[in-house]
Amino acid sequence: MTVTKKGRIEGIQKDGYRVYFGIPYAKPPVGSLRWKAPQETEAWEDVLYAKSLPSRSMQMGEKPGDEFYGKEFRDDPAYVTQPSEDSLYLNIWTPAESGEEKLPVAFWIHGGAFLGGCGHEKEFDGEAYCRRGVILVTVNYRLGIWGFLAHPWLSAENPRHISGNYGILDQIAALRWVHENISAFGGDPENITIFGQSAGAMSVQTLVSSPLTGNMIKRAIMQSGGGYANGLNRDDFTLQVQESYGQIFSELAGVANLEEMRSLPAERVMELFGPFMEKVFPLSRGLFLAPNIDGYVLCGGYDALADQGKIKDIPYLLGSTKDDILVTPELKAKGEYSALYKGCIAFALKREKTGTAPSYVYYFKRDLPGDDAGAFHSSELWYTFGTLKRAWRPFTGYDDALSEEMLACWTNFMKTGSPEGEGVAGWRPCTEADPYIKQFPGDELN
């Protein structure tokens, strides 16, 4: 039995660790709480049995196996729970036997273009982290229209006159819950590493750039989504731009005021997503529901804040994959790298000029076996979570060794701020004098 500040929780005992599924970190954002900042949960009197996977946040539906990522990550119905507006839950895997151990904590933010995904997808699991003495936390946060819709009506009712960014505020609420309660699970609240991939990496960059996260973050890892001038960062993604998109949504919905918009059934909001995307996507040039610069969650664009030295001065680890987003056939034919690849190096060099903590850069280039997709966007997740056995792909001992190496790097970094340590040597910070990039696999596995 684990006793948190909110109440008692019982999880599932595994071989050498315990897992807790579906711990609420905020009130369900339904009814009058739709499109509002997350509200703190009330304490509970009875034991909370955290033994079942929570609902996913509302997102576009799909049939398992009907497209590339469906086959890759969502082909097992056991992990594909039903979507719901009531989805603000987190999951914890801990090897601690008592609350006195103060183990390092890894706080994972899933990707999915801020439109899909969840914290309990098939490729995510904490067993490999527990074996290495690290607690893993994964979170759900509001997505799409529910998580990032801004609108003049919503801004008018807000004391700060802002709207959108609810999904990021969810992440901050979850991080705060972990900071306040993880000691009950044997974790060290002063040693939390946040990490994420794709939109999760962009979320990490948002959290290290936001004044709202205070000193809760010790280190950060950004996989295929963070960086400087990386082709994804948009300093023009302002509240006003997002509000203009929100007005398109309310017009499509045919609502006359905020009360009517909040009263829309979830199914109707989902029906409107397709027509909404058709109108907004050409205007947005890419992500159209994402963190906006509101002067509260974000006080500037990612690159501008990095220029000003206004992001957290903590150790960073970041990188991309060989066939990642923004990698085109034309670039590959010329032997050139994408803006995302270059943006990881640029971030490290920018940090060298504006901060004191080191930055480590990697490049994942393993062509996954089983098809010709190569080292595609998200391909490293099987390796960094040690879940190769859950995949359909014909992985071999070579892949097992690569996964062990990457897990050692990730967990060493979470423990000490450097990927070097047990089982790892030679990964140097990326600096102007020595712009070192760690290759996965490296020569030792080739």
Side-chain angles (χ1 to χ4, degrees):
M1 189 74 63
T2 300
V3 182
T4 71
K5 293 181 179 179
K6 292 297 182 181
R8 295 170 295 166
I9 306 177
E10 185 172 308
I12 304 170
Q13 184 64 50
K14 299 282 189 176
D15 184 15
Y17 65 98
R18 285 169 292 137
V19 60
Y20 302 78
F21 293 125
I23 300 174
Y25 67 81
K27 291 180 179 179
V30 300
S32 62
L33 296 184
R34 182 192 277 179
W35 297 313
K36 285 187 177 180
Q39 304 295 304
E40 186 175 351
T41 56
E42 305 290 346
W44 52 84
E45 294 184 3
D46 296 331
V47 175
L48 174 67
Y49 292 96
K51 300 185 178 185
S52 300
L53 294 176
S55 298
R56 295 178 294 158
S57 292
M58 292 297 294
Q59 55 196 272
M60 291 295 290
E62 64 182 11
K63 296 179 181 179
D66 65 356
E67 44 85 38
F68 180 83
Y69 284 108
K71 178 183 178 182
E72 190 71 20
F73 298 131
R74 297 185 287 277
D75 64 335
D76 188 340
Y79 299 93
V80 186
T81 55
Q82 288 298 309
S84 170
E85 286 192 81
D86 179 6
S87 64
L88 301 187
Y89 298 88
L90 54 82
N91 313 300
I92 300 174
W93 290 258
T94 177
E97 295 183 1
S98 75
E100 308 300 320
E101 297 191 33
K102 289 195 172 183
L103 298 178
V105 180
F107 181 94
W108 173 252
I109 305 172
H110 71 81
F114 296 111
L115 297 173
C118 67
H120 55 270
E121 288 181 10
K122 170 183 177 178
E123 70 274 25
F124 307 145
D125 192 87
E127 181 179 358
Y129 285 83
C130 289
R131 289 203 317 268
R132 290 164 177 80
V134 175
I135 294 172
L136 177 69
V137 179
T138 69
V139 301
N140 288 347
Y141 55 97
R142 278 174 284 182
L143 302 166
I145 292 172
W146 287 269
F148 295 93
L149 185 74
H151 196 286
W153 295 339
L154 291 165
S155 297
E157 75 165 4
N158 186 288
R160 297 182 179 88
H161 305 293
I162 60 174
S163 58
N165 285 339
Y166 306 113
I168 298 299
L169 290 167
D170 292 342
Q171 295 170 11
I172 295 171
L175 180 62
R176 184 176 299 109
W177 192 98
V178 170
H179 190 262
E180 293 175 354
N181 291 280
I182 201 64
S183 59
F185 299 85
D188 182 356
E190 305 309 317
N191 190 3
I192 299 175
T193 298
I194 63 171
F195 70 137
Q197 185 267 344
S198 192
M202 295 178 70
S203 296
V204 169
Q205 190 151 7
T206 305
L207 297 187
V208 301
S209 302
S210 175
L212 301 184
T213 52
N215 295 319
M216 293 188 289
I217 302 168
K218 185 76 170 181
R219 306 176 185 94
I221 300 175
M222 298 181 285
Q223 302 173 210
S224 297
Y228 179 87
N230 62 5
L232 300 174
N233 294 353
R234 298 256 308 276
D235 284 358
D236 63 341
F237 217 65
T238 63
L239 171 60
Q240 290 71 31
V241 169
Q242 281 281 58
E243 285 181 335
S244 70
Y245 297 162
Q247 288 177 301
I248 292 174
F249 173 77
S250 61
E251 290 166 7
L252 284 169
V255 294
N257 52 52
L258 180 54
E259 182 179 3
E260 289 183 11
M261 193 163 73
R262 275 211 174 96
S263 298
L264 289 170
E267 295 77 14
R268 178 57 180 157
V269 176
M270 203 73 261
E271 289 173 0
L272 290 167
F273 179 80
F276 175 62
M277 183 171 66
E278 288 179 7
K279 285 184 174 292
V280 174
F281 191 78
L283 303 175
S284 67
R285 298 179 288 113
L287 293 175
F288 58 98
L289 289 166
N292 73 68
I293 302 168
D294 61 0
Y296 176 62
V297 174
L298 271 179
C299 298
Y302 301 128
D303 292 349
L305 292 173
D307 285 335
Q308 299 161 22
K310 291 184 177 179
I311 66 174
K312 298 196 188 314
D313 188 12
I314 57 176
Y316 291 90
L317 188 155
L318 70 165
S320 62
T321 70
K322 177 173 65 69
D323 301 296
D324 220 321
I325 50 176
L326 306 185
V327 175
T328 66
E330 292 76 20
L331 284 175
K332 295 179 74 172
K334 295 178 183 178
E336 297 178 359
Y337 292 105
S338 72
L340 182 57
Y341 174 94
K342 296 175 183 177
C344 293
I345 301 170
F347 180 89
L349 302 187
K350 177 64 66 173
R351 288 290 309 135
E352 183 184 13
K353 294 178 180 178
T354 59
T356 61
S359 296
Y360 300 87
V361 178
Y362 73 88
Y363 183 55
F364 182 84
K365 58 184 183 179
R366 166 62 167 160
D367 290 332
L368 269 60
D371 59 19
D372 60 358
F376 56 89
H377 184 64
S378 308
S379 57
E380 85 282 11
L381 293 177
W382 295 118
Y383 298 82
T384 56
F385 282 93
T387 48
L388 299 175
K389 289 182 173 58
R390 292 184 179 180
W392 66 268
R393 295 178 177 278
F395 289 122
T396 66
Y398 179 94
D399 297 287
D400 292 334
L402 179 57
S403 177
E404 288 295 311
E405 181 189 14
M406 296 185 76
L407 278 163
C409 291
W410 264 234
T411 54
N412 286 344
F413 180 81
M414 292 162 177
K415 293 173 183 178
T416 69
S418 169
E420 290 201 302
E422 185 176 351
V424 182
W427 189 348
R428 308 182 298 277
C430 181
T431 65
E432 188 169 2
D434 180 21
Y436 181 77
I437 300 175
K438 171 68 174 175
Q439 307 277 322
F440 291 111
D443 293 338
E444 68 278 5
L445 283 178
N446 286 337

